[in-house]
Amino acid sequence: MSGICDKIMKNNPFKYFKKITTIGSGGFGSVFLVEHIKSKRHFAMKMIKPEDETDLEDTLTEIAL
């Protein structure tokens, strides 16, 4: 599992993306419509933050979706 954790972006994603609007929010976090700064392409970005170490497996499952 540590290999997967190493691939999770730990930098501020808004260094690469500009938030346009909030699409929605739920139990795992919020979803934003974002624009990639260099390519100007639009994406949906889900920002999730586990509460504690016990949420890590659930968080990784959510990322895989």
Side-chain angles (χ1 to χ4, degrees):
M1 187 175 335
S2 65
I4 294 171
C5 293
D6 292 339
K7 294 180 182 179
I8 296 172
M9 180 179 278
K10 295 179 178 133
N11 295 331
N12 181 355
F14 296 110
K15 179 179 177 180
Y16 309 100
F17 295 91
K18 177 175 75 171
K19 183 170 86 168
I20 296 171
T21 190
T22 302
I23 296 172
S25 61
F28 273 98
S30 299
V31 178
F32 303 102
L33 175 63
V34 297
E35 179 180 79
H36 186 255
I37 294 170
K38 287 186 179 181
S39 71
K40 305 294 185 197
R41 293 180 62 196
H42 291 112
F43 298 90
M45 177 188 292
K46 187 168 194 174
M47 300 287 291
I48 57 176
K49 186 173 182 180
E51 294 284 322
D52 55 36
E53 290 291 322
T54 60
D55 287 344
L56 180 59
E57 196 165 325
D58 290 337
T59 301
L60 293 174
T61 300
E62 183 71 10
I63 291 169
L65 296 175

